[in-house]
């Protein structure tokens, strides 16, 4: 079991999904958000999910989803994890967890230390926080933009629940990011792509090799 585990997010083709599994990803992420270049239809999700072995967890990424979308995506993708990447309040995260019975991750959008103030409110509501870089006001996407936040903000921070680090990671910087933050689970999307939404099997392999060596 590697010290650092990794989620490869925003997969949408069999080849790149297979590369993530072969490279040792602990989680794969499927995005259910039509504005995203990584958005997958339910049929695509079902076909991709068939390729994922049981030891790799399947995360569905959502932005302020309603229950109907969650139900359909969970059924199609056989999801293990629901990642809420919008403005979902703790009460909504808790309701999603109770209703779905799935592990729930809540993205916390970080730019300054003030953005960490809300972390504790998700204790008992979500299972894990995903610290991700806050995207610009008015941006189409609340994640998946290859943006970093100052990783030093997490130094000495008392994490209220399990957590993962995300935002602008790649094979070249993940070692520094883990060294600064102490992350044990990292998440990447843009950093393993050749263009928005186009995952690159070599970049996936390089990222997973880099995390496995930490
Ligand atoms: O990836 C997307 O397109 C996306 C769209 C809308 C909400 C969340 C999205 N991604 C969530 C993730 O978990 C990404 O891996 C995370 O934001 C990091 O992305 P990146 O900075 O591109 O590595």
């Amino acid at each position: 079991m590697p010290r650092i585990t990794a989620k490869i997010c925003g997969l949408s083709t069999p080849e790149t999904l297979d590369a993530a599994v072969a490279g040792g990803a602990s989680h794969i992420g499927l995005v259910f958000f039509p504005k995203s270049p990584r958005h997958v239809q339910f049929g695509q999700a079902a076909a991709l999910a068939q390729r994922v072995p049981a030891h790799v967890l399947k995360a569905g990424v959502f932005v302020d989803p309603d229950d109907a979308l969650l139900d359909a995506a969970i059924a199609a993708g056989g999801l293990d994890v629901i990642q809420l990447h919008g403005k979902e309040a703790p009460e909504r995260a808790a309701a999603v967890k109770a209703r779905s019975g799935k592990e729930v991750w809540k993205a916390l959008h970080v730019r300054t230390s003030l953005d960490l103030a809300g972390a504790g409110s998700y204790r008992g509501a979500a299972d894990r926080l995903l610290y991700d870089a806050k995207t610009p006001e008015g941006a189409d996407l609340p994640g998946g933009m290859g943006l970093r936040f100052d990783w030093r903000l997490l130094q000495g921070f008392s994490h209220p629940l399990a957590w993962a680090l995300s935002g602008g990671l790649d094979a070249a910087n993940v070692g520094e990011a883990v060294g600064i933050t102490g992350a044990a689970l990292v998440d990447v999307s843009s950093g393993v792509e050749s263009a928005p939404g186009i995952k690159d099997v070599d970049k996936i392999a390089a990222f997973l090799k880099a995390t496995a060596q930490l």
Side-chain angles (χ1 to χ4, degrees), residues 144-159:
M145 292 184 68
L147 301 176
R148 277 184 267 181
F149 65 93
D150 183 350
W151 299 322
R152 293 171 299 180
L153 294 174
L154 296 183
Q155 286 186 320
F157 183 64
S158 179
H159 300 285

Side-chain angles (χ1 to χ4, degrees), residues 7 9 36 38 61 83 85 132 143-146 166-168 187 189-190:
K7 167 176 167 254
C9 194
S36 167
R38 305 155 186 116
V61 177
Q83 179 179 317
H85 219 100
D132 192 7
M145 292 184 68
S166 183
D187 164 73
S189 192
S190 304

Side-chain angles (χ1 to χ4, degrees), residues 65 67 70 82 84 87-106 120-129 161:
D67 289 343
L70 289 169
I82 294 173
L84 300 173
K87 297 182 174 8
E88 303 85 356
E91 296 73 19
R92 177 59 180 155
V96 167
K97 181 173 172 59
R99 187 169 188 275
S100 69
K102 302 295 179 184
E103 184 177 334
V104 171
W105 298 5
K106 176 67 186 98
S121 65
Y122 288 95
R123 186 187 293 118
D127 297 285
R128 184 181 296 271
L129 291 172
L161 57 159

Side-chain angles (χ1 to χ4, degrees), residues 54-114:
H55 70 276
V56 178
L57 297 182
K58 299 181 288 289
V61 177
F62 303 89
V63 178
D64 302 308
D66 61 20
D67 289 343
L69 170 58
L70 289 169
D71 290 351
I74 289 168
L79 302 179
D80 304 291
V81 175
I82 294 173
Q83 179 179 317
L84 300 173
H85 219 100
K87 297 182 174 8
E88 303 85 356
E91 296 73 19
R92 177 59 180 155
V96 167
K97 181 173 172 59
R99 187 169 188 275
S100 69
K102 302 295 179 184
E103 184 177 334
V104 171
W105 298 5
K106 176 67 186 98
L108 207 63
H109 310 289
V110 181
R111 183 175 297 129
T112 74
S113 57
L114 295 177

